[in-house]
Amino acid sequence: MFGYLLYKIVCNLAGFLYPAYASFKAIKANDTKIILPWLIYWIVMAFFTLGEGIADSLIFWFPFYYEMKILFILWLILPQTRGAAYLYDNYIDPTLTFHQKEIDSTLGMAQEKATSTGVEWGRHGLATLQELGQQIIKGRTSF
């Protein structure tokens, strides 16, 4: 149990806290050559985190899983290995570019649906509040 907690802390420090601070410093430097590798890292990390979340129940029990995860995160981050750039250039960019129109269309439909649902819920909520207000004014409802 202690080992698991320690590995989670190290993974989160290496995978999120250090890159977040390095990204902050890159933005402050306002240099695209410094910002771009961190932006690529966050894209790769988003896909990794999504994949890991889906496969978690299958992979967490692999021997040395957390040790391999820490090494993988270091491989992604270190400028000597440029792991995030490798994965982005060879897998993520070509895949997203190939499916970009479908993804944009799906996201557009989802945004429209979310907007219309939000408006519908808002109207329903407002009508309910108005009805409740009228009942309170008439003295039919008490708290």
Side-chain angles (χ1 to χ4, degrees), residues 24-102:
F24 163 78
K25 288 185 68 160
I27 290 169
K28 287 290 187 187
N30 198 21
D31 182 356
T32 2
K33 287 171 50 177
I34 301 170
I35 295 171
L36 186 61
W38 287 113
L39 187 56
I40 288 172
Y41 169 79
W42 287 114
I43 293 169
V44 172
M45 193 59 164
F47 280 98
F48 171 70
T49 302
L50 179 66
E52 182 188 35
I54 292 169
D56 189 46
S57 60
L58 301 174
I59 59 175
F60 81 95
W61 56 269
F62 278 19
F64 303 109
Y65 169 70
Y66 286 102
E67 291 87 345
M68 289 186 291
K69 181 178 175 181
I70 292 168
L71 290 175
F72 176 72
I73 290 170
L74 291 175
W75 178 74
L76 290 177
I77 292 174
L78 292 173
Q80 296 88 344
T81 57
R82 296 182 29 91
Y86 173 81
L87 292 177
Y88 179 81
D89 291 341
N90 291 294
Y91 298 100
I92 295 173
D93 181 46
T95 302
L96 290 179
T97 300
F98 183 77
H99 295 287
Q100 187 172 356
K101 288 181 183 174
E102 300 155 55

Side-chain angles (χ1 to χ4, degrees), residues 82-135:
R82 296 182 29 91
Y86 173 81
L87 292 177
Y88 179 81
D89 291 341
N90 291 294
Y91 298 100
I92 295 173
D93 181 46
T95 302
L96 290 179
T97 300
F98 183 77
H99 295 287
Q100 187 172 356
K101 288 181 183 174
E102 300 155 55
I103 294 168
D104 288 344
S105 173
T106 303
L107 288 175
M109 289 187 300
Q111 185 178 18
E112 287 176 22
K113 182 67 175 170
T115 301
S116 66
T117 301
V119 168
E120 184 181 321
W121 286 2
R123 286 183 183 150
H124 179 70
L126 185 58
T128 303
L129 286 174
Q130 286 174 338
E131 184 180 317
L132 181 61
Q134 289 174 357
Q135 289 177 1

